[in-house]
Amino acid sequence: MAFVRNNIWAAFSLIAAFWLVIGLSLLNNTYKNLYDELILEQTSLSKLTATTLQGKLQQYETILKVLSTELAVFDEVPPKPQVDRILKNAIETDDYLLDFVVLKPDGKVYASNTANDALDSINLLTNPYTQETFRRTIDSHSMVIGRTYYREHLDQLILPIRMAVRNEKGDVIFVVSSVLNFDKFFEFVVEQEKEWQLFDSYIFRDADRYFQLAPISLRRNRQIYSFQVPQQDIDRSIAQFEASSAKSYLTVKNSGDVLVNRLNQDENQSISTSIFLNEYDLWFSTEIKIDHIHLQTIEKTYLPLLILVIALFIIYWLFRSIEKNESSKRSALRKQAEIDYLTQLHNRFYLQRRLKSMPKSMHFAMLLIDVDKFKIINDNYGHVTGDKVLKEYSIRLISIFNNDEIIVRYSSDEFIVISFETDLAKLKALVKSAQQKLSTKLSIQHYHFKLSTSIGVAFYPGSGTTLDQVRNYAEMALFQSKKQRSKITYFDTSIKHTYVRASKIEYELRSALEKNEFYLAYQPQLNADGTLFGVEALVRWSNPKLGNVSPDRFIAIAEATGEITEIGQLVLHDAITRIVDLNRQLHLKVRLAINVSVKQLQHPAFYSELLSTIEQFPDFSYDQLTIEVTENVFIEDVSEITTMLNRLSSTGIKISLDDFGTGYSSLSLLRNLPIDELKIDKSFIDDILVNQRAHMMLEGIVSIADKLNLVTVAEGVESVEQYQALHQLGCNIFQGYYFSKPLTYEELIEFVQAGDIGVRTPLAG
């Protein structure tokens, strides 16, 4: 009951949602069951009717065969009296037969049961309703079903069936054709439709796309049997079937199985079941409108749904009664909840409610006021005295600001004032005056306190568009004020950009590894002769919200948050994986250089995890790996870092001193550390062609490295002139955009396979 009182409409929403789920489940299950039942019924009906249709056609095919055999004994067109006698006997065998006709191969009528002068002018090879199927009859050894059409002299729709009679040589001597009574022949289909009521049937010719039996609504329309269904409509139906079925259209068609398809025609949707009668090139189909299923679903579920709605209404009425009773209690408690017990000022809950209720167009300034060194008062004079100081401080705030401002005790010794003064000059004067008045001597019993006040100011909507944003920006401004104490700082974009960008990077960095947002780029390092020495693996970060984040921005934050350890492990494992694969593919032994930060080196598990990772790759040896460290790492703890580097060097791992010449105590580092390689900073190389001093310093660095048997790597080489100058000085390894930008793994393979690396080094060879 307590939950209901405290979350009245949330509880009702849960119940309503539960009721809704029940209702929707009832509708869905009923609809699905009806759908499945009707599909089963429709499939059974299609099979039954198609079997009956095929049986009837086979029956009349047998009659034609018997008649053809009886007429064919003459091996030529029989005498007309003889034909008339045979046809007369044949027509009496079945009352579905309206006429028997014997036709010559040229399409003209030779004899017929129907005595009609119009027959003499009939030619089936020129009649548009009969010419195509008559030609097919001439070419076929089986019965051919003609198109349904209206026969004037019979004054009704007819269904022609024909069979060619051949001599011993196989030549057609005449054609026997029978005219079936359309209504009687398809009477069984009509009876099925009446019995089931929901289904609409039609028979469709596959070869020429005419209706043999049209749908119910068009069945008596003579013109429909002259209408040829567009091929694009057929193709669309086939596409709909194959999109929803695991079987292809042709597979189902040739197997004789029932083809079930959901058709979407304009706003009308229906379910079609079809069977192909391959022997007669006919599709028999039945359709049911989806609306029929919807209607039956409603009929079966309206009563339970009505009960659910009534029950929900009763529950709503009960909950509303509870809410009314609780509303008056909440109203009384709200005042207590929104007043600070000590100072009787409003608290943060009041502030949130008040600002949410204000128009979004209203502008205001948020003053975040902090009592400097208030903790000293609590520690030295006790909390009772400290509380009295806060009470007096609050009284001063009330006296300084008028009733238009909102005054809030935000935390222990922090207060918020919301001022609606829109004139910036007046606001600044008000804030300055408030700071001076708050800093005057304050007497509590026999104690006298000289308080100082720091203030941070942010604006809505100038600084932020939400209360949280404005408060955060006021806190940023207050943080700047507290650095010097008793200062006033107004938030501006420079504070925002620095803080917000760092905060966003820190936030997104927490999930970047899980989301696989880090990837590696590889920058080739070339020997002086242009051959590939190794690659430096460079970590890159692409974030959907921040875009491509420079390592200069996120590495320091990753070090501060501790994320750098996992990022380093990822870089090491992925880089070795790629280099091993590259060496295996191209039969090389390319070296790998990786940057390592001071935080990684200081991590207790760094050494063991590094060796463990390398040992996972039997084809990768310790001496193929170069660890790059900057001189700045030695600012932290030289002895600790030196010990770690010595341990690494003892395994065969190479140590490179990156950005050489930009840090501290460079020469002493060379003497005391296990350095194998010096990486000359790009800033020296940029000036080598224009600054004689830079040229001389580079010459000295290379000379020292040579005497100490150290490899020198020139990074940031961007022109052929820089390369030539460095080569003449005796640099060993070269790296930079002149040779190649950082590459993806695939681009690196193409770079190596190109085989023309030396072309970029004019001194090669």
Side-chain angles (χ1 to χ4, degrees), residues 470-578:
V470 176
R471 186 185 66 247
N472 288 339
Y473 298 154
E475 288 177 349
M476 293 180 206
L478 179 62
F479 181 76
Q480 296 297 322
S481 294
K482 288 173 70 68
K483 286 181 179 179
Q484 296 177 307
R485 300 197 184 281
S486 193
K487 295 292 182 181
I488 301 171
T489 302
Y490 292 86
F491 180 80
D492 60 25
T493 54
S494 63
I495 298 174
K496 176 181 178 180
H497 290 160
T498 302
Y499 186 89
V500 172
R501 181 69 177 178
S503 298
K504 287 182 178 179
I505 290 175
E506 180 178 346
Y507 178 80
E508 294 296 330
L509 199 60
R510 294 172 186 169
S511 58
L513 277 168
E514 296 177 4
K515 296 177 181 178
N516 294 319
E517 294 176 355
F518 292 108
Y519 65 96
L520 296 182
Y522 304 89
Q523 189 164 37
Q525 297 176 328
L526 307 181
N527 292 306
D529 62 359
T531 58
L532 184 65
F533 171 75
V535 296
E536 180 181 2
L538 304 168
V539 64
R540 296 290 185 261
W541 180 23
S542 178
N543 179 268
K545 296 180 180 178
L546 304 177
N548 293 322
V549 186
S550 168
D552 294 340
R553 289 184 175 271
F554 74 80
I555 291 297
I557 296 174
E559 288 179 334
T561 61
E563 301 286 344
I564 192 66
T565 302
E566 291 188 46
I567 295 173
Q569 278 294 104
L570 171 73
V571 171
L572 181 65
H573 184 276
D574 288 2
I576 294 178
T577 301
R578 290 298 194 182

Side-chain angles (χ1 to χ4, degrees), residues 63-296:
I63 292 175
L64 285 184
K65 286 181 179 178
V66 171
L67 183 60
S68 299
T69 302
E70 190 173 349
L71 290 171
V73 297
F74 298 96
D75 202 27
E76 61 183 5
V77 180
K80 201 166 185 306
Q82 185 71 18
V83 172
D84 290 340
R85 180 182 60 77
I86 293 173
L87 295 183
K88 181 179 179 181
N89 292 334
I91 199 71
E92 294 174 353
T93 61
D94 195 314
D95 59 356
Y96 283 23
L97 299 170
L98 297 177
D99 194 6
F100 270 114
V101 182
V102 175
L103 303 115
K104 296 179 182 178
D106 61 3
K108 294 181 179 180
V109 176
Y110 177 69
S112 171
N113 283 118
T114 305
N116 192 306
D117 294 338
L119 292 173
D120 296 335
S121 62
I122 293 175
N123 188 322
L124 268 64
L125 278 176
T126 59
N127 188 324
Y129 290 102
T130 61
Q131 58 184 358
E132 181 60 33
T133 54
F134 189 80
R135 289 193 187 100
R136 200 181 305 163
T137 304
I138 295 295
D139 296 334
S140 176
H141 291 267
S142 303
M143 183 182 78
V144 175
I145 302 172
R147 284 174 50 194
T148 297
Y149 67 98
Y150 179 76
R151 188 85 165 261
E152 286 80 359
H153 73 278
L154 295 175
D155 191 27
Q156 63 179 331
L157 290 169
I158 63 166
L159 178 66
I161 54 175
R162 305 184 185 98
M163 181 177 288
V165 181
R166 303 174 186 274
N167 58 22
E168 292 181 353
K169 297 179 181 179
D171 300 326
V172 177
I173 53 178
F174 58 86
V175 173
V176 178
S177 177
S178 178
V179 178
L180 298 177
N181 186 310
F182 178 86
D183 292 330
K184 287 187 176 182
F185 183 82
F186 291 119
E187 186 177 14
F188 73 99
V189 177
V190 175
E191 291 300 322
Q192 290 280 22
E193 291 170 341
K194 289 179 179 178
E195 179 181 351
W196 293 84
Q197 295 184 344
L198 297 177
F199 301 112
D200 187 4
S201 303
Y202 56 89
I203 300 173
F204 178 76
R205 299 171 62 85
D206 188 68
D208 50 23
R209 308 192 305 280
Y210 289 104
F211 283 112
Q212 202 77 59
L213 174 69
I216 295 174
S217 61
L218 302 171
R219 192 166 293 166
R220 309 313 301 179
N221 184 346
R222 299 174 187 175
Q223 283 71 34
I224 192 61
Y225 297 100
S226 302
F227 172 73
Q228 192 173 29
V229 178
Q231 183 62 46
Q232 57 264 31
D233 290 353
I234 304 296
D235 294 339
R236 184 168 57 251
S237 296
I238 293 173
Q240 288 176 351
F241 169 75
E242 293 190 334
S244 60
S245 174
K247 297 182 180 179
S248 70
Y249 164 77
L250 291 177
T251 300
V252 178
K253 174 183 175 182
N254 296 330
S255 68
D257 292 338
V258 177
L259 187 151
V260 181
N261 196 11
R262 183 158 181 161
L263 304 176
N264 298 305
Q265 301 171 348
D266 299 327
E267 296 182 355
N268 297 318
Q269 293 187 344
S270 61
I271 302 169
S272 168
T273 55
S274 305
I275 300 180
F276 184 61
L277 306 180
N278 188 59
E279 185 178 353
Y280 301 109
D281 195 42
L282 297 176
W283 281 101
F284 174 77
S285 299
T286 61
E287 284 189 20
I288 181 173
K289 300 294 184 185
I290 295 293
D291 289 343
H292 289 309
I293 304 178
H294 294 161
L295 184 60
Q296 287 194 19

Side-chain angles (χ1 to χ4, degrees), residues 426-489:
K426 291 181 179 179
L427 176 67
K428 287 187 175 182
L430 174 64
V431 175
K432 184 64 177 177
S433 174
Q435 185 193 42
Q436 291 173 348
K437 292 177 181 178
L438 290 169
S439 300
T440 58
K441 186 184 296 185
L442 186 149
S443 299
I444 303 295
Q445 297 174 345
H446 55 280
Y447 300 118
H448 303 286
F449 301 99
K450 176 69 173 174
L451 302 177
S452 65
T453 298
S454 296
I455 302 176
V457 184
F459 301 91
Y460 174 88
S463 301
T465 56
T466 67
L467 172 61
D468 288 338
Q469 286 179 342
V470 176
R471 186 185 66 247
N472 288 339
Y473 298 154
E475 288 177 349
M476 293 180 206
L478 179 62
F479 181 76
Q480 296 297 322
S481 294
K482 288 173 70 68
K483 286 181 179 179
Q484 296 177 307
R485 300 197 184 281
S486 193
K487 295 292 182 181
I488 301 171
T489 302

